[in-house]
Amino acid sequence: MKADITPQEYEAFKSFLQDACGILLGENKQYLVKSRLRRILEDNSMNSLGELLDRLKRPGRGGLREVVIDAMTTNETLWFRDNHPFRILQEKLLPEFAERNSSQPLRIWSAACSTGQEPYSIAMIVEEFRRLRPGKLRDVKITATDISKSVLEVARKGEYEMIAIGRGLSPERQKQFFTPSLNGGWQIKPQIKTMVEFKELNLLERYMLGKFDIVMCRNVLIYFSAESKKDILTRMHATLNPGGYLVLGASESLNGLPHLYEMVQCHPGIIYRKK
């Protein structure tokens, strides 16, 4: 990108991104846009953000649109990020659902799953629970979704370089749930991998995923406008089974919707139960 981003170009790109995927860019994030889109402009022989926006308006530019959204929505993630949600899952939610009706499948949705660390972390917690409570939670299905095709490809493969493995994964869990791959990385074991199904999904669009007992939607709502956030949380409520739980990120809250969810204090940590 040879030219600096003008205020008009930045405002136009903010509108494009919010319309396309709901992400609301803050003020003075021009540096982020430049760094993430530089390669795309170079590959398409474009010199400015304005030129990219003009190109995106032309018919038949769906592929370019997807690449731009992909670049702006892909974020690094960690294994067992923030810890508390996984402790709550292990100590409260899994035991509760195991006692409710062990013959029914437990369905969990990991929204905005990125490269798969969250859903695979959930699957590891489930497997550890099963080892401690033989015969419980035999049928667990985890649906993991993201808007980005590229991160879903990584997630489905289930193979990670050592630098990614080191971000939050203990040596004990690495040994239990991964095997060395031929190219020097680490491959997640089949009993964990087969528990998770990955699907492409834009949280702003209509979706038919079925019903869930637990929805993990963490560290993504902070990027949406208040209106979009309320819409997403309302539709997530509709996907929850009676008595199901919503788990948000540490810096996120409902900010309303008391008619849909009740707060559950977990000391430490807060989750939300469907009313």
Side-chain angles (χ1 to χ4, degrees):
M1 187 181 293
K2 296 178 182 178
D4 286 334
I5 298 174
T6 67
Q8 293 80 11
E9 287 174 337
Y10 186 63
E11 288 302 316
F13 185 74
K14 282 173 61 178
S15 296
F16 160 78
L17 196 63
Q18 186 172 4
D19 291 343
C21 60
I23 288 182
L24 189 60
L25 277 176
E27 300 303 320
N28 302 316
K29 296 287 185 180
Q30 289 89 338
Y31 70 93
L32 178 67
V33 175
K34 286 189 72 169
S35 64
R36 294 203 169 192
L37 299 184
R38 180 179 287 111
R39 181 66 181 271
I40 295 173
L41 267 66
E42 290 175 355
D43 290 347
N44 290 274
S45 302
M46 291 181 280
N47 294 322
S48 70
L49 183 60
E51 191 175 347
L52 173 63
L53 288 165
D54 288 340
R55 191 96 52 105
L56 287 168
K57 293 175 184 175
R58 299 176 191 172
R61 291 292 172 176
L64 181 60
R65 182 177 182 273
E66 287 183 3
V67 170
V68 170
I69 294 171
D70 198 45
M72 294 303 302
T73 57
T74 300
N75 294 295
E76 288 188 357
T77 188
L78 308 172
W79 304 95
F80 300 93
R81 183 176 179 180
D82 301 330
N83 190 45
H84 289 318
F86 297 98
R87 177 189 56 79
I88 293 168
L89 181 68
Q90 186 175 41
E91 297 177 4
K92 174 179 171 55
L93 299 185
L94 294 184
E96 180 178 323
F97 283 106
E99 294 307 316
R100 278 193 197 181
N101 190 343
S102 58
S103 65
Q104 292 294 318
L106 176 65
R107 294 205 65 209
I108 302 172
W109 177 14
S110 169
C113 68
S114 189
T115 45
Q117 279 87 336
E118 178 176 272
Y120 285 139
S121 294
I122 294 169
M124 290 180 218
I125 292 290
V126 170
E127 183 63 21
E128 290 170 351
F129 181 87
R130 285 170 167 171
R131 292 176 184 178
L132 293 172
R133 306 276 292 276
K136 296 291 186 179
L137 298 181
R138 293 179 180 176
D139 188 359
V140 178
K141 299 186 184 302
I142 301 164
T143 299
T145 66
D146 203 278
I147 194 173
S148 167
K149 283 185 169 69
S150 64
V151 299
L152 289 172
E153 288 175 7
V154 174
R156 288 190 182 102
K157 192 174 181 182
E159 184 176 344
Y160 301 89
E161 296 178 358
M162 191 61 219
I163 191 169
I165 288 288
R167 294 185 179 126
L169 190 70
S170 69
E172 294 76 18
R173 281 178 168 143
Q174 180 183 341
K175 184 177 180 180
Q176 280 189 66
F177 300 119
F178 291 81
T179 55
S181 59
L182 295 176
N183 61 4
W186 290 83
Q187 177 70 53
I188 200 153
K189 288 185 176 179
Q191 72 263 34
I192 301 300
K193 190 175 182 182
T194 55
M195 215 182 298
V196 185
E197 179 184 21
F198 293 95
K199 294 184 177 182
E200 184 182 348
L201 181 80
N202 184 337
L203 289 174
L204 288 184
E205 297 175 356
R206 294 185 64 185
Y207 40 83
M208 301 290 289
L209 297 175
K211 291 287 189 177
F212 297 94
D213 301 293
I214 301 168
V215 173
M216 305 275 269
C217 181
R218 305 189 309 126
N219 307 304
V220 63
L221 293 178
I222 52 174
Y223 300 110
F224 290 93
S225 68
E227 184 181 350
S228 294
K229 176 180 172 181
K230 183 177 180 180
D231 176 60
I232 291 167
L233 290 171
T234 300
R235 286 186 289 120
M236 283 184 169
H237 177 271
T239 72
L240 281 167
N241 284 320
Y245 290 95
L246 171 70
V247 182
L248 300 180
S251 62
E252 297 167 323
S253 63
L254 288 182
N255 287 333
L257 305 177
H259 60 295
L260 297 183
Y261 298 95
E262 62 176 316
M263 183 185 297
V264 179
Q265 293 278 357
C266 295
H267 307 292
I270 296 170
I271 58 177
Y272 301 90
R273 184 190 291 118
K274 176 177 181 173
K275 285 188 175 180

